[in-house]
Protein backbone atom coordinates (compact mmCIF):
# COMPACT_ATOMS: atom_id res chain seq x y z
CA UNK A 1 0.00 0.00 0.00
CA UNK A 2 2.80 2.39 0.91
CA UNK A 3 4.64 1.76 -2.35
CA UNK A 4 1.45 2.45 -4.34
CA UNK A 5 0.10 5.48 -2.46
CA UNK A 6 3.45 6.67 -1.16
CA UNK A 7 4.31 7.60 2.41
CA UNK A 8 3.73 10.98 4.01
CA UNK A 9 7.29 11.88 4.95
CA UNK A 10 7.58 14.47 7.70
CA UNK A 11 9.76 17.54 7.52
CA UNK A 12 12.34 15.85 9.75
CA UNK A 13 12.75 13.25 7.01
CA UNK A 14 12.60 15.33 3.85
CA UNK A 15 14.28 18.49 5.10
CA UNK A 16 13.11 21.97 4.12
CA UNK A 17 13.02 25.49 5.53
CA UNK A 18 12.57 26.74 9.09
CA UNK A 19 11.65 30.33 10.01
CA UNK A 20 11.30 31.46 13.62
CA UNK A 21 9.73 34.84 14.43
CA UNK A 22 9.20 36.63 17.72
CA UNK A 23 5.73 38.17 17.53
CA UNK A 24 5.91 39.60 21.09
CA UNK A 25 2.56 37.99 21.87
CA UNK A 26 0.59 34.89 20.92
CA UNK A 27 -0.73 35.04 17.37
CA UNK A 28 -3.33 32.50 16.30
CA UNK A 29 -2.14 29.80 13.91
CA UNK A 30 -4.91 30.57 11.41
CA UNK A 31 -3.85 34.21 11.26
CA UNK A 32 -0.24 33.28 10.51
CA UNK A 33 -1.39 30.80 7.87
CA UNK A 34 -3.61 33.40 6.20
CA UNK A 35 -0.71 35.88 6.00
CA UNK A 36 1.54 33.46 4.10
CA UNK A 37 -1.25 31.67 2.23
CA UNK A 38 -0.17 33.14 -1.14
CA UNK A 39 3.20 31.37 -0.93
CA UNK A 40 1.59 27.88 -0.90
CA UNK A 41 4.13 26.51 1.55
CA UNK A 42 2.02 23.67 2.97
CA UNK A 43 3.57 24.79 6.24
CA UNK A 44 3.67 23.33 9.72
CA UNK A 45 3.25 26.00 12.43
CA UNK A 46 4.33 25.49 16.04
CA UNK A 47 5.10 27.75 19.00
CA UNK A 48 7.80 28.20 21.61
CA UNK A 49 8.32 30.52 24.54
CA UNK A 50 6.44 30.90 27.81
CA UNK A 51 3.61 32.86 26.19
CA UNK A 52 3.87 31.22 22.75
CA UNK A 53 5.32 34.47 21.46
CA UNK A 54 7.77 32.69 19.13
CA UNK A 55 6.22 31.31 15.94
CA UNK A 56 8.09 28.49 14.17
CA UNK A 57 7.17 27.90 10.53
CA UNK A 58 8.42 24.74 8.83
CA UNK A 59 7.91 23.79 5.22
CA UNK A 60 9.22 21.02 2.99
CA UNK A 61 10.11 23.58 0.32
CA UNK A 62 13.77 24.56 0.08
CA UNK A 63 13.53 28.36 0.09
CA UNK A 64 16.57 30.45 -0.78
CA UNK A 65 17.70 33.49 1.21
CA UNK A 66 15.62 35.96 -0.82
CA UNK A 67 12.45 33.90 -0.50
CA UNK A 68 12.95 33.50 3.25
CA UNK A 69 13.49 37.24 3.59
CA UNK A 70 10.38 37.99 1.53
CA UNK A 71 8.21 35.74 3.70
CA UNK A 72 9.71 37.25 6.86
CA UNK A 73 8.99 40.78 5.62
CA UNK A 74 5.41 39.82 4.71
CA UNK A 75 4.75 38.52 8.22
CA UNK A 76 6.45 41.48 9.90
CA UNK A 77 4.54 44.00 7.80
CA UNK A 78 1.22 42.30 8.54
CA UNK A 79 1.90 42.25 12.28
CA UNK A 80 3.68 45.63 12.48
CA UNK A 81 6.96 44.10 13.61
CA UNK A 82 10.55 45.17 13.08
CA UNK A 83 12.23 42.65 10.76
CA UNK A 84 15.71 42.88 12.32
CA UNK A 85 14.43 42.37 15.87
CA UNK A 86 11.66 39.86 15.18
CA UNK A 87 13.28 37.32 12.82
CA UNK A 88 15.14 34.96 15.14
CA UNK A 89 16.23 32.49 12.47
CA UNK A 90 15.54 31.68 8.82
CA UNK A 91 17.44 28.71 7.49
CA UNK A 92 17.33 25.55 5.44
CA UNK A 93 17.88 22.15 7.05
CA UNK A 94 18.69 18.88 5.34
CA UNK A 95 16.91 15.55 5.51
CA UNK A 96 19.62 13.85 7.57
CA UNK A 97 16.92 12.59 9.91
CA UNK A 98 15.49 10.62 6.98
CA UNK A 99 18.62 8.51 6.61
CA UNK A 100 18.83 8.09 10.37
CA UNK A 101 15.21 6.94 10.62
CA UNK A 102 15.61 4.51 7.75
CA UNK A 103 18.86 3.08 9.11
CA UNK A 104 17.50 2.76 12.65
CA UNK A 105 14.32 1.07 11.42
CA UNK A 106 16.22 -1.46 9.31
CA UNK A 107 18.78 -2.11 12.05
CA UNK A 108 16.12 -2.62 14.71
CA UNK A 109 14.25 -5.13 12.53
CA UNK A 110 17.40 -7.08 11.70
CA UNK A 111 18.61 -7.24 15.30
CA UNK A 112 15.15 -8.22 16.56
CA UNK A 113 14.83 -10.93 13.91
CA UNK A 114 18.26 -12.42 14.66
CA UNK A 115 17.79 -12.33 18.44
CA UNK A 116 14.29 -13.78 18.13
CA UNK A 117 15.43 -16.57 15.81
CA UNK A 118 18.25 -17.62 18.15
CA UNK A 119 16.24 -17.33 21.38
CA UNK A 120 13.18 -19.22 20.18
CA UNK A 121 15.23 -21.88 18.41
CA UNK A 122 17.13 -22.54 21.66
CA UNK A 123 14.09 -22.34 23.93
CA UNK A 124 11.81 -24.57 21.88
CA UNK A 125 14.67 -26.63 20.41
CA UNK A 126 13.26 -26.36 16.92
CA UNK A 127 14.49 -24.05 14.18
CA UNK A 128 11.07 -23.96 12.52
CA UNK A 129 9.66 -22.15 15.56
CA UNK A 130 12.29 -19.44 15.13
CA UNK A 131 11.60 -19.16 11.40
CA UNK A 132 7.86 -18.84 12.01
CA UNK A 133 8.46 -16.12 14.62
CA UNK A 134 10.59 -14.08 12.19
CA UNK A 135 7.87 -14.33 9.52
CA UNK A 136 5.28 -13.15 12.07
CA UNK A 137 7.55 -10.26 13.05
CA UNK A 138 7.95 -9.03 9.47
CA UNK A 139 4.21 -9.48 8.92
CA UNK A 140 3.38 -7.17 11.85
CA UNK A 141 5.90 -4.55 10.73
CA UNK A 142 4.59 -4.62 7.16
CA UNK A 143 1.01 -4.19 8.42
CA UNK A 144 2.10 -1.12 10.36
CA UNK A 145 3.92 0.35 7.36
CA UNK A 146 0.87 -0.34 5.19
CA UNK A 147 -1.36 1.55 7.65
CA UNK A 148 1.01 4.51 7.55
CA UNK A 149 0.82 4.49 3.76
CA UNK A 150 -2.95 3.94 3.55
CA UNK A 151 -3.96 6.66 6.04
CA UNK A 152 -1.01 8.94 5.20
CA UNK A 153 0.23 9.22 8.77
CA UNK A 154 3.35 11.35 8.99
CA UNK A 155 6.60 9.40 9.15
CA UNK A 156 8.94 11.27 11.50
CA UNK A 157 11.01 10.67 14.64
CA UNK A 158 8.18 9.05 16.68
CA UNK A 159 7.85 6.48 13.88
CA UNK A 160 10.93 4.71 15.27
CA UNK A 161 9.34 4.51 18.72
CA UNK A 162 6.13 3.10 17.22
CA UNK A 163 8.10 0.58 15.17
CA UNK A 164 10.06 -0.65 18.19
CA UNK A 165 6.82 -0.91 20.19
CA UNK A 166 5.23 -3.10 17.51
CA UNK A 167 8.36 -5.27 17.34
CA UNK A 168 8.40 -5.68 21.12
CA UNK A 169 4.74 -6.69 21.37
CA UNK A 170 5.07 -8.99 18.37
CA UNK A 171 7.98 -10.85 19.96
CA UNK A 172 6.18 -11.11 23.30
CA UNK A 173 2.91 -12.39 21.83
CA UNK A 174 4.71 -14.89 19.59
CA UNK A 175 6.57 -16.42 22.52
CA UNK A 176 3.36 -16.64 24.58
CA UNK A 177 1.50 -18.40 21.75
CA UNK A 178 4.38 -20.82 21.13
CA UNK A 179 4.50 -21.65 24.84
CA UNK A 180 0.79 -22.45 24.81
CA UNK A 181 1.19 -24.58 21.68
CA UNK A 182 3.91 -26.59 23.37
CA UNK A 183 1.79 -27.10 26.49
CA UNK A 184 -1.29 -28.15 24.53
CA UNK A 185 0.82 -30.44 22.36
CA UNK A 186 1.77 -32.40 25.48
CA UNK A 187 -1.81 -32.45 26.79
CA UNK A 188 -3.73 -33.31 23.63
CA UNK A 189 -1.27 -35.33 21.59
CA UNK A 190 1.17 -36.74 24.09
CA UNK A 191 1.46 -40.15 22.44
CA UNK A 192 1.73 -38.91 18.85
CA UNK A 193 5.14 -38.11 17.37
CA UNK A 194 3.80 -36.49 14.21
CA UNK A 195 0.58 -34.57 13.77
CA UNK A 196 -1.61 -34.44 10.70
CA UNK A 197 -2.36 -31.08 9.11
CA UNK A 198 -5.88 -31.02 10.62
CA UNK A 199 -4.54 -31.83 14.09
CA UNK A 200 -1.88 -29.14 13.75
CA UNK A 201 -4.50 -26.59 12.69
CA UNK A 202 -6.70 -27.50 15.66
CA UNK A 203 -3.71 -27.22 18.01
CA UNK A 204 -2.76 -23.78 16.74
CA UNK A 205 -6.36 -22.53 16.80
CA UNK A 206 -6.96 -23.74 20.35
CA UNK A 207 -3.71 -22.21 21.60
CA UNK A 208 -4.38 -18.90 19.87
CA UNK A 209 -7.90 -18.67 21.33
CA UNK A 210 -6.58 -19.33 24.82
CA UNK A 211 -4.15 -16.40 24.57
CA UNK A 212 -6.56 -13.87 23.03
CA UNK A 213 -7.95 -12.70 26.38
CA UNK A 214 -4.43 -12.18 27.71
CA UNK A 215 -3.52 -10.08 24.68
CA UNK A 216 -6.68 -7.98 25.03
CA UNK A 217 -5.94 -7.27 28.69
CA UNK A 218 -2.37 -6.35 27.76
CA UNK A 219 -3.62 -3.83 25.20
CA UNK A 220 -6.09 -2.40 27.72
CA UNK A 221 -3.34 -1.88 30.28
CA UNK A 222 -1.12 -0.20 27.70
CA UNK A 223 -3.99 2.06 26.58
CA UNK A 224 -4.73 3.10 30.17
CA UNK A 225 -1.05 3.88 30.75
CA UNK A 226 -0.79 5.95 27.57
CA UNK A 227 -4.03 7.81 28.37
CA UNK A 228 -2.81 8.53 31.91
CA UNK A 229 0.54 9.85 30.66
CA UNK A 230 -1.22 11.98 28.05
CA UNK A 231 -3.51 13.51 30.67
CA UNK A 232 -0.53 14.20 32.95
CA UNK A 233 1.31 15.98 30.14
CA UNK A 234 -1.81 18.00 29.30
CA UNK A 235 -2.33 18.94 32.95
CA UNK A 236 1.31 19.96 33.31
CA UNK A 237 1.05 22.12 30.20
CA UNK A 238 -2.10 23.79 31.52
CA UNK A 239 -0.44 24.41 34.89
CA UNK A 240 2.58 25.93 33.17
CA UNK A 241 0.34 28.20 31.10
CA UNK A 242 -1.62 29.21 34.19
CA UNK A 243 1.61 29.90 36.09
CA UNK A 244 2.92 32.04 33.25
CA UNK A 245 -0.35 33.99 33.23
CA UNK A 246 -0.19 34.50 37.02
CA UNK A 247 3.41 35.69 36.78
CA UNK A 248 2.44 38.16 34.07
CA UNK A 249 -0.43 39.48 36.24
CA UNK A 250 1.86 39.79 39.25
CA UNK A 251 4.38 41.71 37.14
CA UNK A 252 1.64 44.08 35.98
CA UNK A 253 0.52 44.63 39.59
CA UNK A 254 4.11 45.34 40.68
CA UNK A 255 4.54 47.79 37.82
CA UNK A 256 1.32 49.54 38.82
CA UNK A 257 2.38 49.72 42.48
CA UNK A 258 5.78 51.11 41.49
CA UNK A 259 4.11 53.80 39.38
CA UNK A 260 1.80 54.74 42.28
CA UNK A 261 4.80 54.95 44.60
CA UNK A 262 6.61 57.24 42.15
CA UNK A 263 3.54 59.48 41.91
CA UNK A 264 3.26 59.63 45.70
CA UNK A 265 6.94 60.53 46.08
CA UNK A 266 6.58 63.21 43.41
CA UNK A 267 3.55 64.75 45.16
CA UNK A 268 5.29 64.58 48.54
CA UNK A 269 8.36 66.33 47.11
CA UNK A 270 6.20 69.14 45.81
Amino acid sequence: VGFIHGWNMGIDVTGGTRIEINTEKHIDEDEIASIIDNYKLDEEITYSGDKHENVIIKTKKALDANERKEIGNTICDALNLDYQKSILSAEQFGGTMGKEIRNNAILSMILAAIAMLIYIALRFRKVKYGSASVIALFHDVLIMCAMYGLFQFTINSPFIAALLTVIGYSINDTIVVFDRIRENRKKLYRNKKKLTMDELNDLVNISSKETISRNIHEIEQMSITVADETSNVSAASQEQTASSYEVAQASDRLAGNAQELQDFVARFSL
Side-chain angles (χ1 to χ4, degrees):
V1 177
F3 288 108
I4 297 174
H5 293 279
W7 283 282
N8 180 18
M9 299 296 182
I11 296 176
D12 292 338
V13 179
T14 62
T17 304
R18 180 182 185 275
I19 301 175
E20 183 173 0
I21 304 174
N22 181 279
T23 56
E24 299 178 356
K25 61 180 181 179
H26 175 73
I27 304 296
D28 190 68
E29 180 178 338
D30 293 335
E31 183 176 352
I32 298 293
S34 64
I35 294 173
I36 58 177
D37 182 60
N38 292 334
Y39 295 99
K40 307 299 180 183
L41 299 177
D42 190 21
E43 70 279 352
E44 176 184 310
I45 300 175
T46 57
Y47 297 92
S48 66
D50 294 336
K51 300 179 182 178
H52 290 177
E53 70 276 11
N54 294 337
V55 179
I56 301 173
I57 303 171
K58 290 183 180 181
T59 176
K60 295 179 182 179
K61 293 185 176 181
L63 305 176
D64 58 30
N66 292 330
E67 291 173 323
R68 297 196 297 269
K69 186 175 182 180
E70 181 182 351
I71 293 172
N73 281 323
T74 300
I75 297 174
C76 290
D77 292 343
L79 300 177
N80 296 321
L81 300 173
D82 181 79
Y83 180 87
Q84 298 297 331
K85 295 180 179 179
S86 299
I87 300 298
L88 302 180
S89 65
E91 57 190 3
Q92 289 185 8
F93 59 94
T96 55
M97 182 63 73
K99 296 181 180 178
E100 184 179 345
I101 287 177
R102 184 183 66 247
N103 294 338
N104 287 341
I106 295 174
L107 181 62
S108 62
M109 284 184 59
I110 292 175
L111 291 178
I114 294 174
M116 196 172 180
L117 180 63
I118 295 174
Y119 172 76
I120 293 181
L122 292 175
R123 177 169 179 174
F124 297 97
R125 299 179 182 178
K126 290 184 179 181
V127 178
K128 62 182 180 181
Y129 277 88
S131 303
S133 64
V134 171
I135 294 173
L137 174 65
F138 278 98
H139 167 268
D140 294 340
V141 170
L142 288 175
I143 289 294
M144 173 185 167
C145 293
M147 291 298 102
Y148 265 75
L150 180 62
F151 295 104
Q152 291 295 291
F153 295 133
T154 303
I155 295 180
N156 46 24
S157 301
F159 174 77
I160 290 293
L163 183 66
L164 293 175
T165 301
V166 169
I167 290 175
Y169 275 98
S170 177
I171 293 173
N172 179 66
D173 291 342
T174 300
I175 293 174
V176 170
V177 172
F178 281 178
D179 261 333
R180 189 56 58 91
I181 290 175
R182 183 171 59 176
E183 292 175 4
N184 289 335
R185 172 73 167 82
K186 294 177 180 178
K187 291 179 184 178
L188 303 176
Y189 305 103
R190 179 183 296 272
N191 298 324
K192 296 194 68 172
K193 291 184 178 181
K194 190 174 182 179
L195 302 181
T196 64
M197 186 58 67
D198 291 337
E199 291 172 338
L200 182 59
N201 289 336
D202 291 339
L203 176 62
V204 172
N205 288 333
I206 292 172
S207 302
S208 299
K209 289 178 181 178
E210 291 177 352
T211 58
I212 284 179
S213 59
R214 176 190 179 279
N215 294 337
I216 292 175
H217 291 316
E218 199 173 64
I219 293 173
E220 289 175 349
Q221 292 175 358
M222 182 190 68
S223 301
I224 292 173
T225 303
V226 171
D228 183 59
E229 288 297 327
T230 303
S231 62
N232 289 339
V233 171
S234 177
S237 177
Q238 291 176 357
E239 289 177 2
Q240 184 178 6
T241 302
S243 299
S244 299
Y245 179 72
E246 291 174 359
V247 169
Q249 284 187 324
S251 299
D252 292 340
R253 287 196 298 269
L254 287 174
N257 292 337
Q259 184 64 42
E260 291 178 1
L261 181 60
Q262 289 178 358
D263 294 341
F264 175 78
V265 171
R267 287 196 303 270
F268 182 77
S269 298
L270 293 174

